C-alpha cells in the first residue's frame, strides 16, 4: 500500500491541505500528517501524526499551499522535503507549495507551475525554474506541481490515476463529486470549469455525450443536441472546459479506453468500437500520441504493476510531461466525426 505524507507547518493553506487529506485518506493509501509539532492551519490547530523527519520514509510527499509567499518557508520544512526527495520519494506541491519545493532546489531546471497570481514572484525569486503560468499542473515524474484550489484536486486525482488506474481515480472523483479528469495542460484561467447552473447549455449535453462515446459524434451533432450553432457551442465549450468540443471528446474517448484496458479483456478492436474510435489503428494512433504508449503496452504494464504490487500506472510511458499533460490532440474540421 502506498504511503503518503502531508508536510505541514504553520502558515499552510487549509483548502489545499483538506483536498489532499480527502483524496489520500482513501483506504488505498496509508496517510500521515507530518509537522514540527502542533501547527496552525487557517483557524485550526492541527496535531500532526509524526515529525517532519518521517517524510523520507513516505512513497509520496504532498506539500500544501504556503499562505504567505513573501515569507520564506521554514528551513526545517525545506530540509525535510529535500531529504524526502533524495530518499526517493515522489514530491508534489499544491498551489503555492511550489515555493517550498523551489526553496529546496527541487524545481531547478524543471518546468513547474503555481497559482497564476504568484507565477511572476516564483519566476523572479527562483530564476532556474521554468515557470509555466498557463497550466493546471506539471508532472516531472518524481516532482509535480499544481496551480491553485481546484487544480490541487486535479493533481491529487492524477496521482491516484498513476498509482491505481483511471477506473479507481474515477471512483474517488465520484465519491468527492468532482470532475474525474482535467488534463494538466489545460489553461488555469477558465471562466467556469464546470457548468455552474443546471440550466447551463452544456449541463445536459456533457453527460449525454459521455453515454454515447461509442457513436461517431460530430460537432454538428453536439450543437444540434444543445440547440445552438456550432460556433456558439465552441464558445461555450471554451468557457466551461477550457478546450474545444473535439479536444474534449477525444480526451473522454481516451479515458474510456484506459478504463476498458484496465478492467476488461476486450480486444483493442472491441475497445476501439466501444470508444467511438472506429478501428484499432485509429485508437492506437491517438492513444500513443496522447499517452506515449500503445494500448497493448498500456494493458500489459498496468496488469504487471498490479500483479507485483508496484503502484505506478504506465500512463505516459515516461513521457508524461510532454504527452499526457500537453494540450489534447487536435482534430481538424468541425464536420468530421470524432474518430480520425
Amino acid at each position: 500500500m502506498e504511503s503518503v505524507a502531508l508536510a505541514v507547518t504553520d502558515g499552510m493553506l487549509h483548502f489545499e491541505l483538506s483536498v489532499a487529506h480527502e483524496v489520500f485518506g482513501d483506504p488505498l493509501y496509508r496517510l500521515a500528517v507530518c509537522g514540527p509539532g502542533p501547527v496552525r492551519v487557517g483557524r485550526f490547530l492541527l496535531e500532526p501524526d509524526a515529525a517532519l523527519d518521517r517524510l523520507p520514509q513516505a512513497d509520496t510527499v504532498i506539500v500544501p499551499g504556503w499562505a504567505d509567499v513573501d515569507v520564506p518557508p521554514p528551513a526545517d520544512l525545506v530540509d525535510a522535503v529535500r531529504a524526502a526527495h533524495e530518499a526517493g520519494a515522489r514530491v508534489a506541491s499544491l498551489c503555492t507549495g511550489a515555493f517550498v519545493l523551489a526553496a529546496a532546489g527541487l524545481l531547478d531546471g524543471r518546468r513547474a507551475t503555481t497559482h497564476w497570481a504568484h507565477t511572476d514572484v516564483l519566476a523572479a525569486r527562483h530564476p532556474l525554474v521554468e515557470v509555466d503560468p498557463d497550466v493546471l499542473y506539471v508532472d516531472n515524474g518524481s516532482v509535480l506541481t499544481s496551480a491553485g484550489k481546484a487544480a490541487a484536486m486535479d493533481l491529487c486525482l492524477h496521482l491516484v490515476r498513476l498509482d491505481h488506474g483511471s477506473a479507481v481515480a474515477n471512483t474517488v472523483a465520484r465519491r468527492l463529486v468532482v470532475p474525474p479528469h482535467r488534463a494538466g495542460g489545460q489553461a488555469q484561467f477558465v471562466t467556469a470549469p464546470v457548468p455552474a447552473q443546471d440550466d447551463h447549455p452544456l449541463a445536459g449535453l456533457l453527460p449525454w455525450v459521455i453515454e454515447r462515446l461509442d457513436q461517431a459524434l460530430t460537432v454538428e451533432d453536439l450543437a444540434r443536441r444543445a440547440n445552438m450553432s456550432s460556433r456558439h457551442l465552441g464558445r461555450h465549450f471554451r468557457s466551461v472546459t477550457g478546450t474545444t468540443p473535439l479536444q474534449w471528446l477525444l480526451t473522454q474517448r481516451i479515458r474510456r479506453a484506459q478504463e476498458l484496458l484496465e478492467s476488461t479483456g476486450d480486444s483493442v478492436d472491441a475497445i476501439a468500437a466501444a470508444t467511438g474510435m472506429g478501428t484499432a489503428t485509429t485508437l492506437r494512433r491517438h492513444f500513443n500520441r496522447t499517452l506515449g504508449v500503445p494500448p497493448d503496452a498500456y494493458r500489459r504494464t498496468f496488469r504487471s504493476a498490479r500483479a507485483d504490487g508496484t503502484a505506478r500506472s504506465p500512463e505516459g510511458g515516461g513521457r508524461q510531461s510532454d504527452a499526457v499533460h500537453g494540450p489534447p490532440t487536435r482534430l481538424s474540421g468541425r464536420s468530421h466525426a470524432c474518430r480520425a
Side-chain angles (χ1 to χ4, degrees), residues 124-164:
R125 189 172 301 167
H126 300 280
L128 296 180
V129 181
E130 182 187 345
V131 180
D132 189 339
D134 298 321
V135 295
L136 295 178
Y137 55 86
V138 176
D139 181 349
N140 289 301
S142 64
V143 178
L144 305 91
T145 54
S146 85
K149 304 303 179 186
M153 177 68 77
D154 293 320
L155 178 55
C156 288
L157 289 174
H158 170 67
L159 292 174
V160 176
R161 188 174 296 107
L162 291 177
D163 293 342
H164 299 286

Short mmCIF file of all heavy atoms in Angstrom, two decimals, residues 124-164:
data_model
loop_
_atom_site.label_atom_id
_atom_site.label_comp_id
_atom_site.label_asym_id
_atom_site.label_seq_id
_atom_site.Cartn_x
_atom_site.Cartn_y
_atom_site.Cartn_z
N ALA A 124 10.72 35.14 -10.53
CA ALA A 124 11.72 36.15 -10.17
C ALA A 124 12.60 35.66 -9.03
O ALA A 124 13.82 35.90 -9.02
CB ALA A 124 11.03 37.45 -9.78
N ARG A 125 12.02 34.97 -8.08
CA ARG A 125 12.78 34.52 -6.91
C ARG A 125 13.65 33.31 -7.21
O ARG A 125 14.70 33.12 -6.60
CB ARG A 125 11.81 34.20 -5.77
CG ARG A 125 12.48 33.94 -4.43
CD ARG A 125 11.44 33.81 -3.33
NE ARG A 125 10.64 35.03 -3.23
CZ ARG A 125 9.50 35.12 -2.53
NH1 ARG A 125 9.05 34.06 -1.89
NH2 ARG A 125 8.84 36.25 -2.48
N HIS A 126 13.19 32.50 -8.17
CA HIS A 126 13.92 31.26 -8.50
C HIS A 126 14.13 31.20 -10.01
O HIS A 126 13.41 30.49 -10.72
CB HIS A 126 13.13 30.05 -8.00
CG HIS A 126 12.89 30.04 -6.52
ND1 HIS A 126 13.85 29.65 -5.61
CD2 HIS A 126 11.80 30.41 -5.80
CE1 HIS A 126 13.36 29.75 -4.38
NE2 HIS A 126 12.11 30.20 -4.48
N PRO A 127 15.11 31.92 -10.52
CA PRO A 127 15.31 32.04 -11.97
C PRO A 127 15.70 30.73 -12.65
O PRO A 127 15.60 30.64 -13.88
CB PRO A 127 16.43 33.08 -12.09
CG PRO A 127 17.12 33.08 -10.76
CD PRO A 127 16.06 32.77 -9.76
N LEU A 128 16.12 29.72 -11.92
CA LEU A 128 16.47 28.44 -12.53
C LEU A 128 15.24 27.58 -12.81
O LEU A 128 15.34 26.53 -13.44
CB LEU A 128 17.44 27.67 -11.64
CG LEU A 128 18.82 28.31 -11.43
CD1 LEU A 128 19.68 27.42 -10.53
CD2 LEU A 128 19.51 28.55 -12.76
N VAL A 129 14.09 28.02 -12.33
CA VAL A 129 12.84 27.28 -12.52
C VAL A 129 12.14 27.77 -13.78
O VAL A 129 12.01 28.98 -13.99
CB VAL A 129 11.90 27.44 -11.31
CG1 VAL A 129 10.62 26.63 -11.52
CG2 VAL A 129 12.60 27.01 -10.03
N GLU A 130 11.70 26.86 -14.63
CA GLU A 130 10.93 27.22 -15.81
C GLU A 130 9.46 27.28 -15.42
O GLU A 130 8.75 26.27 -15.41
CB GLU A 130 11.13 26.18 -16.92
CG GLU A 130 10.39 26.50 -18.20
CD GLU A 130 10.47 25.38 -19.22
OE1 GLU A 130 11.32 24.47 -19.05
OE2 GLU A 130 9.66 25.38 -20.17
N VAL A 131 8.99 28.46 -15.06
CA VAL A 131 7.63 28.63 -14.54
C VAL A 131 6.64 28.75 -15.70
O VAL A 131 6.79 29.61 -16.57
CB VAL A 131 7.55 29.87 -13.63
CG1 VAL A 131 6.12 30.04 -13.10
CG2 VAL A 131 8.53 29.74 -12.47
N ASP A 132 5.65 27.90 -15.68
CA ASP A 132 4.59 27.91 -16.70
C ASP A 132 3.30 28.39 -16.04
O ASP A 132 2.70 27.65 -15.26
CB ASP A 132 4.41 26.53 -17.30
CG ASP A 132 3.48 26.53 -18.52
OD1 ASP A 132 2.70 27.49 -18.66
OD2 ASP A 132 3.56 25.58 -19.32
N PRO A 133 2.84 29.61 -16.34
CA PRO A 133 1.65 30.13 -15.67
C PRO A 133 0.34 29.67 -16.29
O PRO A 133 -0.73 29.99 -15.79
CB PRO A 133 1.81 31.65 -15.85
CG PRO A 133 2.51 31.77 -17.17
CD PRO A 133 3.47 30.60 -17.24
N ASP A 134 0.40 28.90 -17.37
CA ASP A 134 -0.79 28.62 -18.16
C ASP A 134 -1.28 27.19 -18.09
O ASP A 134 -2.02 26.74 -18.97
CB ASP A 134 -0.53 28.98 -19.63
CG ASP A 134 -0.23 30.46 -19.81
OD1 ASP A 134 -0.88 31.28 -19.13
OD2 ASP A 134 0.66 30.78 -20.61
N VAL A 135 -0.88 26.43 -17.06
CA VAL A 135 -1.30 25.04 -16.96
C VAL A 135 -1.86 24.75 -15.57
O VAL A 135 -1.63 25.51 -14.63
CB VAL A 135 -0.12 24.07 -17.24
CG1 VAL A 135 0.36 24.20 -18.68
CG2 VAL A 135 1.04 24.33 -16.29
N LEU A 136 -2.60 23.65 -15.46
CA LEU A 136 -3.18 23.26 -14.18
C LEU A 136 -2.16 22.54 -13.31
O LEU A 136 -2.14 22.72 -12.10
CB LEU A 136 -4.39 22.35 -14.40
CG LEU A 136 -5.59 23.00 -15.10
CD1 LEU A 136 -6.70 21.97 -15.28
CD2 LEU A 136 -6.11 24.20 -14.31
N TYR A 137 -1.36 21.68 -13.91
CA TYR A 137 -0.31 21.01 -13.15
C TYR A 137 0.76 20.52 -14.10
O TYR A 137 0.55 20.41 -15.30
CB TYR A 137 -0.85 19.85 -12.30
CG TYR A 137 -1.63 18.79 -13.03
CD1 TYR A 137 -1.00 17.71 -13.65
CD2 TYR A 137 -3.02 18.84 -13.07
CE1 TYR A 137 -1.72 16.73 -14.30
CE2 TYR A 137 -3.76 17.86 -13.73
CZ TYR A 137 -3.11 16.81 -14.33
OH TYR A 137 -3.83 15.84 -14.98
N VAL A 138 1.94 20.24 -13.53
CA VAL A 138 3.08 19.76 -14.30
C VAL A 138 3.61 18.51 -13.62
O VAL A 138 3.86 18.51 -12.41
CB VAL A 138 4.20 20.82 -14.39
CG1 VAL A 138 5.41 20.24 -15.12
CG2 VAL A 138 3.70 22.07 -15.10
N ASP A 139 3.80 17.45 -14.40
CA ASP A 139 4.32 16.19 -13.89
C ASP A 139 5.72 15.96 -14.45
O ASP A 139 5.88 15.73 -15.64
CB ASP A 139 3.38 15.05 -14.30
CG ASP A 139 3.84 13.69 -13.79
OD1 ASP A 139 4.98 13.59 -13.30
OD2 ASP A 139 3.05 12.73 -13.89
N ASN A 140 6.73 16.06 -13.59
CA ASN A 140 8.10 15.78 -13.99
C ASN A 140 8.56 14.40 -13.51
O ASN A 140 9.76 14.14 -13.41
CB ASN A 140 9.05 16.85 -13.43
CG ASN A 140 8.88 18.18 -14.12
OD1 ASN A 140 9.05 18.28 -15.32
ND2 ASN A 140 8.53 19.21 -13.36
N GLY A 141 7.61 13.55 -13.18
CA GLY A 141 7.96 12.22 -12.69
C GLY A 141 8.06 12.19 -11.18
O GLY A 141 7.08 11.91 -10.49
N SER A 142 9.21 12.52 -10.64
CA SER A 142 9.39 12.50 -9.18
C SER A 142 9.05 13.82 -8.52
O SER A 142 8.98 13.91 -7.29
CB SER A 142 10.84 12.13 -8.83
OG SER A 142 11.73 13.13 -9.31
N VAL A 143 8.81 14.85 -9.32
CA VAL A 143 8.46 16.17 -8.80
C VAL A 143 7.26 16.69 -9.58
O VAL A 143 7.30 16.75 -10.81
CB VAL A 143 9.64 17.16 -8.91
CG1 VAL A 143 9.23 18.54 -8.41
CG2 VAL A 143 10.85 16.65 -8.14
N LEU A 144 6.20 17.06 -8.86
CA LEU A 144 4.99 17.55 -9.51
C LEU A 144 4.54 18.84 -8.83
O LEU A 144 4.72 19.01 -7.62
CB LEU A 144 3.86 16.52 -9.43
CG LEU A 144 4.14 15.12 -9.98
CD1 LEU A 144 4.68 14.21 -8.87
CD2 LEU A 144 2.89 14.50 -10.59
N THR A 145 3.96 19.74 -9.60
CA THR A 145 3.46 21.00 -9.06
C THR A 145 2.08 21.27 -9.64
O THR A 145 1.78 20.87 -10.77
CB THR A 145 4.39 22.18 -9.40
OG1 THR A 145 4.61 22.21 -10.83
CG2 THR A 145 5.72 22.05 -8.70
N SER A 146 1.24 21.96 -8.89
CA SER A 146 -0.09 22.30 -9.39
C SER A 146 -0.36 23.78 -9.19
O SER A 146 0.29 24.45 -8.39
CB SER A 146 -1.17 21.49 -8.65
OG SER A 146 -1.54 22.11 -7.44
N ALA A 147 -1.35 24.26 -9.92
CA ALA A 147 -1.86 25.61 -9.72
C ALA A 147 -2.76 25.59 -8.48
O ALA A 147 -2.70 24.66 -7.67
CB ALA A 147 -2.61 26.08 -10.96
N GLY A 148 -3.61 26.59 -8.33
CA GLY A 148 -4.34 26.74 -7.08
C GLY A 148 -5.70 26.07 -7.03
O GLY A 148 -6.29 25.70 -8.03
N LYS A 149 -6.17 25.89 -5.80
CA LYS A 149 -7.52 25.45 -5.48
C LYS A 149 -7.95 24.21 -6.25
O LYS A 149 -7.52 23.11 -5.97
CB LYS A 149 -8.50 26.60 -5.66
CG LYS A 149 -8.15 27.85 -4.87
CD LYS A 149 -8.05 27.58 -3.38
CE LYS A 149 -7.67 28.82 -2.60
NZ LYS A 149 -7.44 28.54 -1.17
N ALA A 150 -8.84 24.37 -7.25
CA ALA A 150 -9.37 23.22 -7.98
C ALA A 150 -8.27 22.42 -8.64
O ALA A 150 -8.35 21.18 -8.75
CB ALA A 150 -10.40 23.67 -9.02
N ALA A 151 -7.20 23.08 -9.10
CA ALA A 151 -6.09 22.37 -9.74
C ALA A 151 -5.37 21.46 -8.74
O ALA A 151 -4.77 20.46 -9.14
CB ALA A 151 -5.10 23.36 -10.34
N ALA A 152 -5.43 21.78 -7.46
CA ALA A 152 -4.85 20.90 -6.45
C ALA A 152 -5.59 19.56 -6.45
O ALA A 152 -4.97 18.49 -6.34
CB ALA A 152 -4.93 21.55 -5.07
N MET A 153 -6.90 19.61 -6.58
CA MET A 153 -7.68 18.38 -6.68
C MET A 153 -7.33 17.62 -7.96
O MET A 153 -7.20 16.39 -7.95
CB MET A 153 -9.18 18.71 -6.66
CG MET A 153 -10.09 17.50 -6.82
SD MET A 153 -10.03 16.37 -5.41
CE MET A 153 -11.06 17.30 -4.23
N ASP A 154 -7.15 18.36 -9.06
CA ASP A 154 -6.79 17.71 -10.32
C ASP A 154 -5.48 16.93 -10.18
O ASP A 154 -5.37 15.80 -10.65
CB ASP A 154 -6.64 18.76 -11.43
CG ASP A 154 -7.95 19.43 -11.79
OD1 ASP A 154 -8.98 18.73 -11.83
OD2 ASP A 154 -7.96 20.64 -12.02
N LEU A 155 -4.48 17.54 -9.54
CA LEU A 155 -3.20 16.87 -9.38
C LEU A 155 -3.31 15.66 -8.46
O LEU A 155 -2.73 14.60 -8.73
CB LEU A 155 -2.14 17.84 -8.85
CG LEU A 155 -0.75 17.24 -8.59
CD1 LEU A 155 -0.21 16.55 -9.84
CD2 LEU A 155 0.22 18.30 -8.11
N CYS A 156 -4.06 15.79 -7.38
CA CYS A 156 -4.22 14.65 -6.46
C CYS A 156 -4.89 13.48 -7.17
O CYS A 156 -4.47 12.33 -7.02
CB CYS A 156 -5.03 15.08 -5.24
SG CYS A 156 -4.14 16.17 -4.09
N LEU A 157 -5.91 13.75 -7.96
CA LEU A 157 -6.57 12.68 -8.71
C LEU A 157 -5.64 12.11 -9.77
O LEU A 157 -5.68 10.91 -10.07
CB LEU A 157 -7.85 13.19 -9.35
CG LEU A 157 -8.99 13.48 -8.38
CD1 LEU A 157 -10.17 14.12 -9.12
CD2 LEU A 157 -9.45 12.21 -7.68
N HIS A 158 -4.80 12.95 -10.35
CA HIS A 158 -3.80 12.48 -11.30
C HIS A 158 -2.85 11.48 -10.63
O HIS A 158 -2.51 10.45 -11.21
CB HIS A 158 -3.02 13.66 -11.86
CG HIS A 158 -1.82 13.28 -12.66
ND1 HIS A 158 -1.89 12.63 -13.88
CD2 HIS A 158 -0.49 13.45 -12.42
CE1 HIS A 158 -0.67 12.42 -14.34
NE2 HIS A 158 0.19 12.91 -13.48
N LEU A 159 -2.45 11.75 -9.40
CA LEU A 159 -1.57 10.84 -8.68
C LEU A 159 -2.27 9.51 -8.41
O LEU A 159 -1.67 8.44 -8.54
CB LEU A 159 -1.12 11.47 -7.37
CG LEU A 159 -0.18 12.68 -7.50
CD1 LEU A 159 0.07 13.31 -6.13
CD2 LEU A 159 1.13 12.28 -8.14
N VAL A 160 -3.55 9.57 -8.04
CA VAL A 160 -4.32 8.33 -7.84
C VAL A 160 -4.39 7.55 -9.16
O VAL A 160 -4.25 6.32 -9.18
CB VAL A 160 -5.74 8.63 -7.32
CG1 VAL A 160 -6.56 7.35 -7.22
CG2 VAL A 160 -5.68 9.32 -5.96
N ARG A 161 -4.58 8.28 -10.26
CA ARG A 161 -4.66 7.62 -11.57
C ARG A 161 -3.33 6.94 -11.91
O ARG A 161 -3.32 5.83 -12.44
CB ARG A 161 -5.03 8.66 -12.63
CG ARG A 161 -5.32 8.09 -14.01
CD ARG A 161 -5.82 9.15 -14.97
NE ARG A 161 -7.09 9.70 -14.52
CZ ARG A 161 -7.25 10.90 -13.99
NH1 ARG A 161 -6.20 11.72 -13.85
NH2 ARG A 161 -8.44 11.33 -13.60
N LEU A 162 -2.22 7.59 -11.61
CA LEU A 162 -0.91 6.97 -11.85
C LEU A 162 -0.71 5.73 -10.99
O LEU A 162 -0.16 4.73 -11.44
CB LEU A 162 0.20 7.98 -11.56
CG LEU A 162 0.35 9.18 -12.51
CD1 LEU A 162 1.46 10.08 -12.01
CD2 LEU A 162 0.63 8.71 -13.93
N ASP A 163 -1.17 5.79 -9.75
CA ASP A 163 -0.94 4.70 -8.80
C ASP A 163 -1.88 3.52 -9.02
O ASP A 163 -1.47 2.37 -8.89
CB ASP A 163 -1.12 5.20 -7.36
CG ASP A 163 -0.07 6.21 -6.94
OD1 ASP A 163 0.98 6.27 -7.62
OD2 ASP A 163 -0.29 6.92 -5.96
N HIS A 164 -3.14 3.81 -9.34
CA HIS A 164 -4.15 2.75 -9.31
C HIS A 164 -5.01 2.67 -10.58
O HIS A 164 -5.90 1.82 -10.64
CB HIS A 164 -5.07 2.95 -8.10
CG HIS A 164 -4.35 2.88 -6.79
ND1 HIS A 164 -3.90 1.70 -6.25
CD2 HIS A 164 -3.95 3.87 -5.94
CE1 HIS A 164 -3.29 1.95 -5.10
NE2 HIS A 164 -3.30 3.25 -4.89
#
